[in-house]
Amino acid sequence: MTELIAVVTITLLAVISPGPDFAMVSRNSLLLSRRAGVLTACGIGAGVLIHVSYTLIGVGVLIQQSLWLFNLIKGLGAAYLIYLGVKLLRNAATHDVSPGAPQAALSDLAALKTGFLTNVLNPKTTIFIVSLFMQVVAPHTPLGVQLGYGLFIAAVHVLWFGAVALLFSAPGVNARFLRLRKKGIDRAFGGLLIAFGALLALAGIK
């Protein structure tokens, strides 16, 4: 019972902490649509399942003990976040940003892929899940229970970020944010993603 409480508590605290996942869901919900935001959240949940899968089959131990492999993951994550940030900044500079201007559509697959890649290349999630299963979940915990934990963690990510998508796409909230102008929103989220990526890159160098 103590193990379950620890898993639930740590998961909730980790999920609600701000990061690239939050930035992408918020941005897609504000500027595109509720559907795009929710699908981005679903992609994040799929990314979490990848982290859980490689942890359960033992790759998590290798990542934890191999400095070069972990630094490679951090490098890829940093590069992807900087790429997304630059893309948003370029989008702000080249697209019509008047209040009534239509935004470029994002396909369902593209929204899922954005959420998936943002999460699966996020070393923060790697550290969280590997540490949780290596240090909190006991080695003798049945595999079925561990799988249940993994599904719970993925479900919490989808539910939390789905709620974020619903909040930011609600007409009243959406209208208030869009008063900041769409160009400003893309610039803000683009700058945040570049900052996240730069911090990861600097941590990798150190």
Side-chain angles (χ1 to χ4, degrees):
M1 188 66 178
T2 303
E3 181 182 276
L4 175 61
I5 293 172
V7 170
V8 171
T9 303
I10 294 171
T11 298
L12 293 176
L13 291 174
V15 170
I16 64 176
S17 63
D21 293 338
F22 184 87
M24 288 311 302
V25 171
S26 302
R27 186 268 173 186
N28 286 350
S29 303
L30 279 170
L31 296 189
L32 299 176
S33 67
R34 173 169 294 180
R35 183 181 182 88
V38 171
L39 287 171
T40 303
C42 291
I44 289 168
V48 170
L49 290 178
I50 296 297
H51 292 293
V52 170
S53 298
Y54 68 64
T55 299
L56 290 182
I57 64 176
V59 178
V61 178
L62 178 62
I63 292 173
Q64 190 178 49
Q65 297 179 349
S66 176
L67 182 61
W68 75 265
L69 181 56
F70 183 62
N71 282 335
L72 175 62
I73 293 171
K74 284 203 294 186
L76 291 173
Y80 183 66
L81 292 178
I82 292 172
Y83 161 76
L84 283 179
V86 171
K87 187 176 179 182
L88 292 186
L89 291 179
R90 291 180 63 187
N91 183 67
T94 59
H95 284 74
D96 186 353
V97 293
S98 60
Q103 294 297 300
L106 188 69
S107 70
D108 290 352
L109 181 59
L112 282 167
K113 185 176 75 171
T114 297
F116 176 78
L117 290 177
T118 301
N119 183 271
V120 85
L121 293 175
N122 186 358
K124 172 191 164 185
T125 312
T126 301
I127 295 170
F128 157 57
I129 291 180
V130 171
S131 298
L132 184 68
F133 279 90
M134 297 296 107
Q135 300 177 24
V136 177
V137 178
H140 55 76
T141 299
L143 180 59
V145 175
Q146 294 190 46
L147 287 171
Y149 289 156
L151 291 173
F152 167 76
I153 295 168
V156 169
H157 276 76
V158 173
L159 290 173
W160 168 252
F161 289 112
V164 170
L166 294 178
L167 172 65
F168 282 103
S169 61
V173 175
N174 189 271
R176 288 190 182 93
F177 272 94
L178 290 184
R179 286 176 192 152
L180 301 173
R181 299 186 66 82
K182 295 167 184 175
K183 178 187 286 189
I185 292 172
D186 260 347
R187 282 178 174 168
F189 284 118
L192 277 175
L193 290 172
I194 291 173
F196 284 133
L199 288 173
L200 280 177
L202 290 174
I205 292 171
K206 290 179 182 180

